[in-house]
Amino acid sequence: MRDKIVVIGSLNYDVILKIPRLPECGETLPADTATFSAGGKGANQAVQAAKLGVETYMVGCVGEDAQGDYLLESAWKYGVHTDYIRRCTEATGMGVVNAVEDGSVFACIVRGANFAVTREDVDAAEPILKEARLVILQMEIPQEINEYAIDKAKACGCQVLLNAAPAAEIPEAYLEKCDILVVNEVEAAFYLKEKIDTREQAEKGARLLAEKYGADIIITLGSLGSVVCERGAVTFLPSKKVEAIETTGAGDSFIGGVGSALIRGENLTDACEFATRCSAVTVCRLGAQASMPTLDEVG
């Protein structure tokens, strides 16, 4: 039975600064708190899937430094198989996250070891790819490696979910090979070459992307919710109304939730409804991986 998830992507050491507002140009603004946590879109998505009870493997790179040690320990602690995470001479990737009181997030990343991932790293994971049902990818490793990973995943009989974040040019032939494409409103606008500011625009955009690439489409809309186009049928799923502390990792929690629900046999629309509940829990806590819920906590 193919019931595993393989995530190929990024691992970052995150520094999260809780601030009352963004500083003005030239201003030195005291932060309320500084929190250090494991992050990176790839690792976050893998952790959420693992915390929801799915056997999950991570493929990526970290440095031979204390931050790399920390990321490996964190992934392992939350149940992610770390056999295919390679140590390399480059410094571990880093994220600097400014979390504002209203729950909005402004972040920068340093690529570091994430851009040391090679085709050989993907090849090394072939035995587990042949046992997996779903491969999850993002855009925080080299583009040519993502393309190679898509081909490898399809050759091994896996479904491919591409979280095209951050948005970047990728040959349409590779988008057409993906089974599920997940983007937020900014990323959707990048690929559609038009603004996505409303639910109606997102519904139209999801339909256009599905027709263009022949894939199922998810457009996340932050606090508004998400739009799913599954086999041509478009559904709007409103977000759960909660008191958000900060939104770091909410999108990754959503994707990990989608993946886990698909493994349990749910269709994509139902999987997104479940994932919405996952991210609602995540935003009520500080940090990314630590804030992500277990299956019992989702309800």
Side-chain angles (χ1 to χ4, degrees):
M1 181 177 177
R2 301 187 70 153
D3 56 359
K4 299 176 178 63
I5 290 176
V6 176
V7 180
I8 303 173
S10 58
L11 304 97
N12 286 334
Y13 182 81
D14 284 349
V15 181
I16 303 168
L17 303 178
K18 190 77 172 175
I19 56 177
R21 57 174 174 80
L22 287 178
E24 302 291 337
C25 181
E27 177 187 13
T28 299
L29 179 72
D32 297 329
T33 59
T35 306
F36 306 94
S37 66
K41 291 183 186 298
N44 289 347
Q45 292 167 15
V47 163
Q48 180 61 99
K51 289 179 83 170
L52 292 167
V54 176
E55 192 168 356
T56 306
Y57 289 76
M58 180 77 208
V59 179
C61 289
V62 296
E64 296 172 342
D65 48 28
Q67 290 82 0
D69 293 340
Y70 180 80
L71 295 186
L72 286 171
E73 290 167 8
S74 181
W76 179 83
K77 175 177 71 175
Y78 291 123
V80 177
H81 292 276
T82 60
D83 316 54
Y84 302 108
I85 300 174
R86 180 171 60 86
R87 308 299 293 262
C88 64
T89 56
E90 287 83 350
T92 296
M94 175 175 285
V96 179
V97 179
N98 292 290
V100 186
E101 282 182 352
D102 65 3
S104 57
V105 170
F106 301 83
C108 296
I109 59 171
V110 180
R111 290 168 167 173
N114 293 314
F115 263 56
V117 181
T118 65
R119 293 183 176 206
E120 288 72 25
D121 293 318
V122 177
D123 288 341
E126 186 170 336
I128 202 65
L129 287 170
K130 290 180 176 177
E131 297 180 15
R133 176 178 165 189
L134 179 68
V135 170
I136 298 176
L137 300 160
Q138 321 78 37
M139 309 281 266
E140 291 184 337
I141 62 174
Q143 193 59 267
E144 63 269 22
I145 304 304
N146 263 338
E147 294 168 13
Y148 185 77
I150 290 170
D151 283 334
K152 177 68 72 171
K154 299 306 289 185
C156 290
C158 302
Q159 283 184 296
V160 173
L161 183 157
L162 174 63
N163 175 210
E169 294 293 346
I170 179 172
E172 288 191 2
Y174 280 93
L175 293 173
E176 291 167 359
K177 293 178 184 181
C178 297
D179 299 282
I180 303 166
L181 178 65
V182 185
V183 288
N184 65 18
E185 59 267 58
V186 176
E187 295 145 4
F190 177 87
Y191 292 106
L192 288 165
K193 310 302 182 194
E194 59 183 66
K195 274 192 170 185
I196 301 292
D197 290 327
T198 66
R199 165 186 166 179
E200 290 73 23
Q201 288 172 333
E203 290 173 341
K204 176 186 173 186
R207 204 173 277 111
L208 288 171
L209 288 171
E211 291 170 358
K212 187 173 184 179
Y213 302 126
D216 289 333
I217 305 294
I218 302 169
I219 300 180
T220 59
L221 302 169
S223 60
L224 186 62
S226 62
V227 168
V228 187
C229 184
E230 180 180 12
R231 298 183 180 179
V234 176
T235 305
F236 170 70
L237 298 170
S239 64
K240 306 299 178 185
K241 300 307 176 186
V242 295
E243 291 293 326
I245 294 176
E246 55 110 343
T247 58
T248 304
D252 298 327
S253 174
F254 182 91
I255 290 170
V258 167
S260 71
L262 291 174
I263 294 296
R264 291 197 303 275
E266 295 186 23
N267 64 42
L268 184 61
T269 304
D270 289 344
C272 288
E273 197 282 327
F274 171 78
T276 300
R277 303 204 305 272
C278 293
S279 56
V281 175
T282 298
V283 299
C284 292
R285 304 168 178 172
L286 192 63
Q289 296 177 11
S291 69
M292 292 174 175
T294 62
L295 195 56
D296 289 341
E297 293 175 314
V298 178

